[in-house]
Amino acid sequence: MKSFRREEETLPRSPNPGSRLIWALVIGFLLVVLIAVLMPRSRNPSSDRTSTTNAPPLANAPLEGAARIASARRGLNFGTKLAPVKTAEEIVAGKLAQFARSRRQLAYALARRHGVEVPDAVKRFFDAVETGNWDEIQARFKAINGGDFSASHGGGRPPGVNELWSAIVDAYGVAEQVHLWPAQKLLDYGNAVLDSLGPGMVYVGGTDNGRWIPELLNDTGDGENHIIVTQNALADSMYLEYVTQLYGDRLANLTQEDSQRAFQEYLADAQQRLQHDQQFPDEPKQVRPGENITDTDGKIQVSGQVAVMMINERLLQTLLQKNPDTSFAVQESYPMTGTYANALPLGPLMELRAQDAQNTFTPERAAQSVEYWSNTAENVLSDPEAAGSAATLKSYSHDANSAANLLAANGYDAEAEQAYRLSSQLCPFSPEAVGGLANILSRTGHADEASRLLDDFALNYPEQRPAIEAYSASILWTSPSAKPQP
C-alpha cells in the first residue's frame, strides 16, 4: 500500500477531484492532433499550366508539407513511393504527342467535311510528330508540301492535302517550336502568356512562337481552354473554316465577304498614303517599311508581308466588331498601330479595346509595363539556358518591342525608350528594337544619338543594313543633318 501511495503522490495534485479526467482529455486531444499530422492529406490536383514542372499533386505541394507527408508515410511504413517528377523534356514530349493526336483527329474531321480520304503520307506525318523525331517530321512534312519546308509554299502538294492543311501546319508549327526551344523555357513562355489571360478571353497569336507555344499548352493543359487564333491567317478561307471546326459557335467568325471588303479598303488607303509620300517627300513616310505599293496608270498593286499584315489588321478589327462582348488579347506579329488607341498592357501581351471611362492608360500602368519587362529581361539574361537560346531571346525581345510600341503610341516616350533598350538588350541583333529606339530618340531631341545608334548597328550587323535603312527612312528626323546616309 505504501508503494501505491508513493506512485500516486508523483502525479500533479489538484484541488479538483476530476483532475484525472481532465488529464485524460488532454492526452486524448494530443493523440488526435498527432494522428491528424501523421495522416496523409488529399490535395486538389494543381494545373500543369501554373506549374512549369507539371509534377503530380503531391510533388507540387509546398516543400514543408511534402516533406511532412513523406516522413509520415515512412514512419507508418505504408510501403508506397512518391511518383517520380517528370523532367521538362518529358512533359513537353508528352504534350507534343497529345497535340499530334488531336490534330490528326481534326484532319480526319476536315477530310469528312470535304469528302476526301486522308492520304497515307499525311498519316505518316502525324505518326512522326507523335514520336517527336524532328528529322523525320521535316522529311514527312516536305513529302506532303511539294518538296518544300515552307508552310506557305503550297505548290505540288499531293491530292487531298490542301483540304487538311490547317491541321497539318498546326502540328508542324508546334513541333518546330518544340525543336527550337529548351523545354523548360518553352513551358515558361507559354505559361506566362496563358496565365495573363482573363476568363473567356480570346488570344490572338502573332509570331510562330506566340501562336504555337500557347496553343500547345492550351490544348494539352487542364486549365481553361481559351480560343486561340492567329492574325497571320485571317484572310485565308480554309483557316477560317478550321477555326470554326475547332471552336464551333464560341466565336462569331469572319467570312469571305469580310475578307474582300478588308482588301478593297486597304487598297484605297494604300493609294492615299502613296500619293502623300510622293507629294510631300519631306514629311514622314506613310508607306511602312517593307510595304510594297505601286501605282500603274491608276491601278494600285501591293505585295509583301507587311501589306498582308495590314489587311489582317483590318480583319482583326472586324473580328472584334463581330464579337463586341468578348475580351481579346494579342501578341503582335507586326505592329498593328490601328489597335493601339484603346489597348492596354497585359503582362507580356496587350489587351485590345480595353480603355474606357473607368479604365485608362495611366502613368502607373506604363511604369508597371516597364517593370514587367525589366524583371523579365533580368530573369532571361541571368538564365544560361535561356541566354544561350536564340529562339528564346528573339521571342522575348520581340514582345518587349511590342510593349514599347504601345507605350510610344500613347505618349509615354520615356517608358518606351526604356522598353526599347530592354528589347535591344535581350536581342542585340534585332533591327526592330534599334529602329524603334532610334525613332524615340529622334523625336525627343536626340537625333544625333539616334544616328550613331543606327550607324553602329549597321556596322556590327551588316546583314541587317536593308532593314535599318528602311527604319531610318520612316523616322521623322528632328535634325536633318543627323539622318544617316545610305
Side-chain angles (χ1 to χ4, degrees), residues 379-457:
N379 291 336
V380 170
L381 294 175
S382 63
D383 183 335
E385 188 176 41
S389 165
T392 302
L393 296 177
K394 288 180 182 179
S395 299
Y396 281 106
S397 173
H398 176 86
D399 293 347
N401 195 80
S402 295
N405 291 339
L406 180 61
L407 290 163
N410 282 270
Y412 293 106
D413 289 345
E415 291 82 359
E417 179 182 338
Q418 294 179 64
Y420 282 127
R421 291 188 185 279
L422 289 168
S423 175
S424 190
Q425 289 174 20
L426 283 161
C427 188
F429 51 89
S430 168
E432 63 179 358
V434 74
L437 178 56
N439 190 28
I440 281 288
L441 291 172
S442 179
R443 85 182 195 190
T444 55
H446 301 88
D448 291 336
E449 182 182 353
S451 179
R452 290 193 298 273
L453 183 72
L454 295 178
D455 286 341
D456 290 345
F457 185 87

Side-chain angles (χ1 to χ4, degrees), residues 100-171:
R101 291 190 291 270
S102 75
R103 287 332 185 239
R104 184 197 298 267
Q105 293 172 0
L106 283 167
Y108 274 91
L110 291 171
R112 290 191 295 271
R113 178 189 288 259
H114 290 280
V116 299
E117 293 291 329
V118 177
D120 289 340
V122 172
K123 297 176 184 177
R124 289 192 291 270
F125 164 75
F126 282 113
D127 289 341
V129 176
E130 193 166 344
T131 65
N133 185 317
W134 177 241
D135 290 338
E136 185 178 357
I137 292 170
Q138 280 194 305
R140 299 300 184 190
F141 182 79
K142 184 177 179 180
I144 59 178
N145 194 36
D148 197 281
F149 288 123
S150 172
S152 60
H153 172 65
R157 291 173 186 162
V161 171
N162 280 334
E163 292 84 353
L164 319 179
W165 189 248
S166 294
I168 292 169
V169 77
D170 232 8

Side-chain angles (χ1 to χ4, degrees), residues 65-88:
R68 183 177 64 247
I69 295 171
S71 175
R73 289 186 173 180
R74 286 194 299 271
L76 294 174
N77 196 25
F78 286 162
T80 59
K81 295 182 178 179
L82 294 176
V85 177
K86 291 182 179 179
T87 66

Side-chain angles (χ1 to χ4, degrees), residues 47-361:
S47 168
D48 63 1
R49 174 173 300 171
T50 57
S51 170
T52 56
T53 61
N54 197 26
L58 189 59
N60 276 338
L63 181 60
E64 181 182 354
R68 183 177 64 247
I69 295 171
S71 175
R73 289 186 173 180
R74 286 194 299 271
L76 294 174
N77 196 25
F78 286 162
T80 59
K81 295 182 178 179
L82 294 176
V85 177
K86 291 182 179 179
T87 66
E89 289 74 16
E90 291 171 333
I91 295 168
V92 171
K95 288 181 175 294
L96 177 59
Q98 182 181 342
F99 191 86
R101 291 190 291 270
S102 75
R103 287 332 185 239
R104 184 197 298 267
Q105 293 172 0
L106 283 167
Y108 274 91
L110 291 171
R112 290 191 295 271
R113 178 189 288 259
H114 290 280
V116 299
E117 293 291 329
V118 177
D120 289 340
V122 172
K123 297 176 184 177
R124 289 192 291 270
F125 164 75
F126 282 113
D127 289 341
V129 176
E130 193 166 344
T131 65
N133 185 317
W134 177 241
D135 290 338
E136 185 178 357
I137 292 170
Q138 280 194 305
R140 299 300 184 190
F141 182 79
K142 184 177 179 180
I144 59 178
N145 194 36
D148 197 281
F149 288 123
S150 172
S152 60
H153 172 65
R157 291 173 186 162
V161 171
N162 280 334
E163 292 84 353
L164 319 179
W165 189 248
S166 294
I168 292 169
V169 77
D170 232 8
Y172 182 76
V174 164
E176 184 175 38
Q177 294 306 305
V178 168
H179 168 70
L180 291 173
W181 281 66
Q184 186 60 60
K185 303 308 110 182
L186 180 144
L187 293 172
D188 293 344
Y189 182 87
N191 285 330
V193 170
L194 295 178
D195 290 346
S196 69
L197 302 178
M201 185 172 280
V202 174
Y203 172 63
V204 184
T207 59
D208 287 353
N209 55 276
R211 171 187 178 180
W212 278 307
I213 293 177
E215 189 174 329
L216 170 64
L217 270 59
N218 183 67
D219 281 29
T220 59
D222 56 8
E224 178 184 353
N225 185 258
H226 288 275
I227 294 173
I228 294 182
V229 297
T230 174
Q231 62 191 259
N232 297 349
L234 293 178
D236 184 343
S237 60
M238 295 190 69
Y239 174 72
L240 296 178
E241 177 190 76
Y242 181 62
V243 170
T244 299
Q245 185 75 36
L246 275 169
Y247 304 114
D249 58 1
R250 293 177 59 192
L251 185 74
N253 207 353
L254 296 170
T255 64
Q256 191 64 33
E257 291 74 18
D258 294 326
S259 295
Q260 290 296 328
R261 183 169 56 255
F263 182 70
Q264 294 301 324
E265 290 175 352
Y266 168 74
L267 286 181
D269 176 65
Q271 185 175 29
Q272 290 180 355
R273 290 184 293 109
L274 178 62
Q275 290 174 349
H276 167 273
D277 292 354
Q278 292 171 342
Q279 295 172 7
F280 307 100
D282 295 330
E283 293 188 4
K285 301 295 184 184
Q286 292 188 0
V287 175
R288 292 189 185 182
E291 184 185 12
N292 303 321
I293 306 174
T294 58
D295 186 346
T296 305
D297 298 328
K299 184 178 180 180
I300 296 296
Q301 294 182 328
V302 297
S303 62
Q305 192 172 17
V306 176
V308 172
M309 290 308 305
M310 293 183 72
I311 297 172
N312 286 335
E313 179 182 338
R314 290 177 177 273
L315 288 170
L316 177 59
Q317 296 279 23
T318 302
L319 185 64
L320 267 65
Q321 294 168 8
K322 298 182 78 165
N323 295 271
D325 299 323
T326 303
S327 297
F328 283 76
V330 66
Q331 183 263 355
E332 288 185 329
S333 177
Y334 283 84
M336 297 190 295
T337 56
T339 65
Y340 289 168
N342 296 309
L344 289 172
L346 185 68
L349 312 173
M350 63 181 73
E351 182 178 359
L352 303 184
R353 64 180 181 194
Q355 295 190 55
D356 54 33
Q358 289 77 38
N359 202 22
T360 59
F361 203 154

